[in-house]
Amino acid sequence: MTSASGRNFLHTPGPTNIPERVLRAMVQPAVDFTDPVFLKMTQSCFADLKKVFRTESDVICYASNGHGAWEAALVNTLSAGDHVLVPESGHFTQNWAEMAEAFGVVIDSAPGDWRHAIDPDAVETCLREDKDHKIKAVLTVHTDTATGITSDLPALRRAIDNAKHPALYMVDTVAALGTTEFRMDDWGIDVAVGGSQKGLMQPPGLAFNAVSAKALAACKTANLPRLYWDWERRMEEAYYRWFCGTPPEHLLFALREGLDMVLEEGLDNAFDRHRRLAESVRLAVGVWSRANALSLNAVVPEERSNSVTTILVAEGYDADKLRMISREKFNVSLGSGLGKTRGKAFRIGHMGYLNEPMILGALAGVEASLEASGIPHEKGGVDAAVKYLAAS
Ligand SMILES: *Cc1c(COP(=O)(O)O)cnc(C)c1O
């Protein structure tokens, strides 16, 4: 039975902890959305989002979750019958591809698996084979939240360039934005998809498309039906176009406060904090894994995500029971396995508004849950995390 006393530790990989500052920013009356003060605040959010995406291009903001921003990226750039290249890498590339398919887009896949980052060579090979440039876009996911793996985005840009292929480079960075370095312009990314409720510490409900000049040019000829998601309409001067209707005012109050917090900490400091906290989680899992019932899903250490850690549970043990015990008895909410790892994995989210004692508390809760659920694990995972955090 979950204790009503104390806090719940939210370690699902989205939504994430919302800082009190952000919560408080939402506690205010609705305003006249034509009020110049509100319009100015909204524009300042758009301007600061560019800093987060590290782009000079426009960022469009939708009152939607990440799936909405996925759809926006597709319908603004593609036509029915177009091909897109989707490297196999996890649950989220697969789902984005399924959405494209629903619009009559043809999916070409590049081989890969759920335990490794996207292979730039496989992408290059597929693009080289596409002599008539049927492929209009490459759909990639920066950090796949199911696998806990982060792909090398500059290497994928080089793969596209090496193949001398004109396809748009589209990146879903929903789970990495604010936790892991991302440079839209320097890395030649054409469309970046982001969301509010992961690394940016926001309530769920806002999602973003950052859009390069090349992507904007593609929307002139893309013929998939669209109106609500249409980039050009959203970029018109009239403020009632910015959100295609009433702006999500309270989410924007929250966004303003959250962006202030992100910029006060500094993006590079935030990346560093995430790396440190993630490393402490990986060290703990490394110790627990010595009893051969658990293992990190990401095989290559450099590919392990700083946002989320996916832990595989050996045959014969129940990952969902562990999660239930963790939530009900120890007040630590963990992510489940997704797609082909459903029931066979659990995930520790470590993105957003987090610090050392929060991570140590969560790890202690997981260790207690392993004990309570009878999953073999070597003792001392939390000690390893303490030792690392004390020394680094
Ligand atoms: C969470 C997530 C999404 C989907 O976002 P929703 O807000 O749940 O629609 C897409 N891609 C990645 C990588 C995610 O982590």
Side-chain angles (χ1 to χ4, degrees):
M1 193 61 184
T2 310
S3 165
S5 173
R7 287 186 170 250
N8 185 260
F9 279 52
L10 184 62
H11 288 271
T12 51
T16 61
N17 296 294
I18 306 175
E20 284 77 2
R21 264 178 75 178
V22 171
L23 290 172
R24 276 197 297 271
M26 287 189 283
V27 185
Q28 55 174 299
V31 296
D32 170 355
F33 66 72
T34 68
D35 185 324
V37 176
F38 178 73
L39 295 179
K40 220 169 141 199
M41 186 208 75
T42 304
Q43 282 174 314
S44 76
C45 289
F46 292 150
D48 285 343
L49 282 169
K50 292 184 184 201
K51 295 179 191 162
V52 174
F53 282 96
R54 288 183 161 146
T55 185
E56 299 290 321
S57 295
D58 285 295
V59 180
I60 289 152
C61 182
Y62 297 103
S64 82
N65 62 16
H67 282 71
W70 266 354
E71 181 160 325
L74 299 173
V75 296
N76 278 285
T77 54
L78 300 170
S79 301
D82 281 353
H83 287 234
V84 294
L85 180 65
V86 184
E88 202 203 336
S89 65
H91 187 69
F92 288 87
T93 27
Q94 192 178 314
N95 283 12
W96 200 7
E98 277 168 18
M99 189 183 259
E101 222 166 6
F103 283 99
V105 170
V106 182
I107 310 301
D108 295 349
S109 56
D113 65 57
W114 283 38
R115 300 198 67 183
H116 294 87
I118 299 170
D119 177 7
D121 292 337
V123 169
E124 186 176 331
T125 305
C126 290
L127 291 176
R128 279 186 193 282
E129 281 166 6
D130 177 39
K131 300 258 185 273
D132 342 322
H133 296 165
K134 280 207 189 97
I135 295 171
K136 298 302 175 202
V138 182
L139 268 49
T140 63
V141 172
H142 190 186
T143 290
D144 191 292
T145 326
T147 63
I149 293 174
T150 300
S151 286
D152 183 344
L153 297 181
L156 291 168
R157 175 74 258 174
R158 288 193 294 277
I160 300 171
D161 290 344
N162 290 344
K164 299 191 174 53
H165 199 290
L168 293 170
Y169 182 18
M170 312 228 268
V171 178
D172 163 356
T173 185
V174 173
L177 201 64
T179 78
T180 306
E181 186 175 40
F182 181 83
R183 297 183 167 275
M184 163 126 177
D185 290 359
D186 292 349
W187 297 349
I189 292 160
D190 292 302
V191 182
V193 176
S196 58
Q197 81 278 23
K198 311 250 169 129
L200 297 183
M201 316 178 281
Q202 298 289 304
L206 291 180
F208 317 110
N209 275 181
V211 179
S212 75
K214 185 173 163 185
L216 265 182
C219 87
K220 303 275 183 218
T221 52
N223 72 9
L224 288 180
R226 60 179 182 273
L227 186 142
Y228 183 75
W229 302 110
D230 192 274
W231 287 338
E232 289 185 309
R233 256 174 97 85
R234 298 269 176 157
M235 290 163 74
E236 283 175 24
E237 208 150 323
Y239 54 76
Y240 54 88
R241 293 278 201 233
W242 302 348
F243 291 91
C244 195
T246 307
E249 294 184 343
H250 292 76
L251 294 179
L252 292 168
F253 296 143
L255 179 63
R256 182 60 271 160
E257 192 69 26
L259 287 169
D260 284 345
M261 290 180 72
V262 167
L263 298 173
E264 280 162 22
E265 180 178 24
L267 283 168
D268 290 331
N269 293 332
F271 303 155
D272 202 51
R273 174 171 55 83
H274 280 91
R275 188 194 47 70
R276 236 166 81 78
L277 297 179
E279 186 59 21
S280 73
V281 172
R282 294 188 282 257
L283 287 167
V285 176
V287 172
W288 297 333
S289 300
R290 288 181 199 146
N292 296 324
L294 302 174
S295 54
L296 286 165
N297 177 61
V299 177
V300 181
E302 299 74 45
E303 296 175 355
R304 289 174 185 154
S305 159
N306 288 337
S307 303
V308 55
T309 296
T310 302
I311 300 134
L312 300 176
V313 178
E315 198 71 44
Y317 301 103
D318 186 344
D320 289 334
K321 188 173 148 221
L322 170 77
R323 272 194 326 114
M324 203 209 27
I325 290 174
S326 167
R327 189 179 58 220
E328 304 293 323
K329 190 166 158 114
F330 296 106
N331 264 293
V332 179
S333 294
L334 302 169
S336 65
L338 292 177
K340 59 170 112 168
T341 62
R342 185 162 288 282
K344 299 178 187 156
F346 68 97
R347 297 174 299 147
I348 304 175
H350 34 79
M351 59 180 114
Y353 188 58
L354 277 181
N355 59 19
E356 286 81 354
M358 291 163 89
I359 274 291
L360 290 172
L363 291 172
V366 175
E367 196 163 309
S369 307
L370 288 167
E371 184 72 30
S373 57
I375 296 181
H377 58 287
E378 189 169 303
K379 302 274 181 286
V382 175
D383 287 352
V386 167
K387 213 170 190 171
Y388 168 77
L389 291 173
S392 67

